[in-house]
mmCIF file of all heavy atoms in Angstrom:
data_model
loop_
_atom_site.group_PDB
_atom_site.id
_atom_site.type_symbol
_atom_site.label_atom_id
_atom_site.label_comp_id
_atom_site.label_asym_id
_atom_site.label_seq_id
_atom_site.Cartn_x
_atom_site.Cartn_y
_atom_site.Cartn_z
ATOM 1 N N SER A 275 8.566 17.092 12.715
ATOM 2 C CA SER A 275 9.528 16.859 13.799
ATOM 3 C C SER A 275 10.286 15.572 13.550
ATOM 4 O O SER A 275 11.477 15.480 13.874
ATOM 5 C CB SER A 275 8.891 16.929 15.189
ATOM 6 O OG SER A 275 7.884 15.988 15.275
ATOM 7 N N GLY A 276 9.645 14.586 12.916
ATOM 8 C CA GLY A 276 10.346 13.360 12.560
ATOM 9 C C GLY A 276 11.409 13.602 11.493
ATOM 10 O O GLY A 276 12.547 13.120 11.592
ATOM 11 N N LEU A 277 11.061 14.376 10.487
ATOM 12 C CA LEU A 277 12.011 14.630 9.387
ATOM 13 C C LEU A 277 13.193 15.472 9.883
ATOM 14 O O LEU A 277 14.360 15.184 9.565
ATOM 15 C CB LEU A 277 11.327 15.376 8.234
ATOM 16 C CG LEU A 277 10.120 14.717 7.555
ATOM 17 C CD1 LEU A 277 9.593 15.608 6.438
ATOM 18 C CD2 LEU A 277 10.479 13.343 7.011
ATOM 19 N N LEU A 278 12.871 16.509 10.653
ATOM 20 C CA LEU A 278 13.936 17.434 11.076
ATOM 21 C C LEU A 278 14.865 16.810 12.117
ATOM 22 O O LEU A 278 15.955 17.334 12.362
ATOM 23 C CB LEU A 278 13.325 18.745 11.597
ATOM 24 C CG LEU A 278 12.548 19.563 10.549
ATOM 25 C CD1 LEU A 278 11.893 20.782 11.180
ATOM 26 C CD2 LEU A 278 13.418 19.986 9.376
ATOM 27 N N ALA A 279 14.432 15.675 12.687
ATOM 28 C CA ALA A 279 15.298 14.976 13.651
ATOM 29 C C ALA A 279 16.456 14.276 12.940
ATOM 30 O O ALA A 279 17.467 13.941 13.559
ATOM 31 C CB ALA A 279 14.476 13.963 14.439
ATOM 32 N N VAL A 280 16.303 14.061 11.633
ATOM 33 C CA VAL A 280 17.394 13.439 10.860
ATOM 34 C C VAL A 280 18.458 14.507 10.626
ATOM 35 O O VAL A 280 18.130 15.668 10.332
ATOM 36 C CB VAL A 280 16.860 12.911 9.500
ATOM 37 C CG1 VAL A 280 17.977 12.273 8.681
ATOM 38 C CG2 VAL A 280 15.718 11.929 9.712
ATOM 39 N N ASP A 281 19.685 14.121 10.768
ATOM 40 C CA ASP A 281 20.798 15.057 10.635
ATOM 41 C C ASP A 281 20.850 15.679 9.221
ATOM 42 O O ASP A 281 20.602 14.981 8.228
ATOM 43 C CB ASP A 281 22.075 14.225 10.951
ATOM 44 C CG ASP A 281 23.308 14.867 10.419
ATOM 45 O OD1 ASP A 281 23.561 16.009 10.811
ATOM 46 O OD2 ASP A 281 24.003 14.222 9.605
ATOM 47 N N GLY A 282 21.124 16.976 9.153
ATOM 48 C CA GLY A 282 21.314 17.628 7.847
ATOM 49 C C GLY A 282 20.024 17.873 7.079
ATOM 50 O O GLY A 282 19.998 17.836 5.853
ATOM 51 N N ILE A 283 18.935 18.137 7.809
ATOM 52 C CA ILE A 283 17.658 18.431 7.147
ATOM 53 C C ILE A 283 17.111 19.750 7.676
ATOM 54 O O ILE A 283 17.109 19.985 8.891
ATOM 55 C CB ILE A 283 16.634 17.295 7.390
ATOM 56 C CG1 ILE A 283 17.213 16.002 6.825
ATOM 57 C CG2 ILE A 283 15.270 17.632 6.778
ATOM 58 C CD1 ILE A 283 16.261 14.953 6.444
ATOM 59 N N GLY A 284 16.688 20.612 6.765
ATOM 60 C CA GLY A 284 16.143 21.916 7.174
ATOM 61 C C GLY A 284 14.805 22.172 6.495
ATOM 62 O O GLY A 284 14.452 21.515 5.515
ATOM 63 N N VAL A 301 17.403 18.518 2.042
ATOM 64 C CA VAL A 301 18.180 17.406 2.599
ATOM 65 C C VAL A 301 19.614 17.493 2.092
ATOM 66 O O VAL A 301 19.853 17.449 0.876
ATOM 67 C CB VAL A 301 17.556 16.050 2.165
ATOM 68 C CG1 VAL A 301 18.265 14.892 2.851
ATOM 69 C CG2 VAL A 301 16.061 16.019 2.454
ATOM 70 N N VAL A 366 8.005 8.669 8.187
ATOM 71 C CA VAL A 366 9.197 9.214 8.849
ATOM 72 C C VAL A 366 10.293 8.145 8.908
ATOM 73 O O VAL A 366 11.468 8.414 8.596
ATOM 74 C CB VAL A 366 8.844 9.732 10.273
ATOM 75 C CG1 VAL A 366 10.101 9.971 11.096
ATOM 76 C CG2 VAL A 366 8.015 11.006 10.177
ATOM 77 N N PHE A 369 11.629 7.497 5.401
ATOM 78 C CA PHE A 369 12.410 8.649 4.958
ATOM 79 C C PHE A 369 13.824 8.600 5.555
ATOM 80 O O PHE A 369 14.828 8.719 4.843
ATOM 81 C CB PHE A 369 11.694 9.936 5.390
ATOM 82 C CG PHE A 369 12.321 11.189 4.883
ATOM 83 C CD1 PHE A 369 11.966 11.723 3.652
ATOM 84 C CD2 PHE A 369 13.277 11.861 5.633
ATOM 85 C CE1 PHE A 369 12.546 12.884 3.182
ATOM 86 C CE2 PHE A 369 13.859 13.024 5.172
ATOM 87 C CZ PHE A 369 13.496 13.535 3.943
ATOM 88 N N GLY A 370 13.892 8.380 6.866
ATOM 89 C CA GLY A 370 15.198 8.312 7.538
ATOM 90 C C GLY A 370 16.051 7.200 6.956
ATOM 91 O O GLY A 370 17.258 7.373 6.705
ATOM 92 N N VAL A 373 17.260 8.157 3.337
ATOM 93 C CA VAL A 373 18.322 9.166 3.382
ATOM 94 C C VAL A 373 19.630 8.507 3.796
ATOM 95 O O VAL A 373 20.691 8.738 3.196
ATOM 96 C CB VAL A 373 17.940 10.319 4.353
ATOM 97 C CG1 VAL A 373 19.138 11.219 4.635
ATOM 98 C CG2 VAL A 373 16.792 11.133 3.775
ATOM 99 N N LYS A 374 19.561 7.647 4.800
ATOM 100 C CA LYS A 374 20.785 6.993 5.288
ATOM 101 C C LYS A 374 21.397 6.111 4.196
ATOM 102 O O LYS A 374 22.601 6.171 3.926
ATOM 103 C CB LYS A 374 20.460 6.163 6.535
ATOM 104 C CG LYS A 374 21.684 5.489 7.113
ATOM 105 C CD LYS A 374 21.397 4.761 8.409
ATOM 106 C CE LYS A 374 22.640 4.077 8.958
ATOM 107 N NZ LYS A 374 23.501 3.453 7.965
ATOM 108 N N ARG A 377 22.938 8.254 1.482
ATOM 109 C CA ARG A 377 24.185 8.892 1.916
ATOM 110 C C ARG A 377 25.303 7.860 2.017
ATOM 111 O O ARG A 377 26.440 8.131 1.620
ATOM 112 C CB ARG A 377 23.981 9.592 3.261
ATOM 113 C CG ARG A 377 23.202 10.909 3.115
ATOM 114 C CD ARG A 377 22.980 11.533 4.474
ATOM 115 N NE ARG A 377 22.300 12.814 4.382
ATOM 116 C CZ ARG A 377 21.712 13.410 5.397
ATOM 117 N NH1 ARG A 377 21.709 12.858 6.594
ATOM 118 N NH2 ARG A 377 21.117 14.589 5.231
#
Side-chain angles (χ1 to χ4, degrees):
S275 59
L277 301 180
L278 296 176
V280 180
D281 160 58
I283 300 204
V301 186
V366 166
F369 186 88
V373 168
K374 182 175 179 321
R377 284 178 177 163

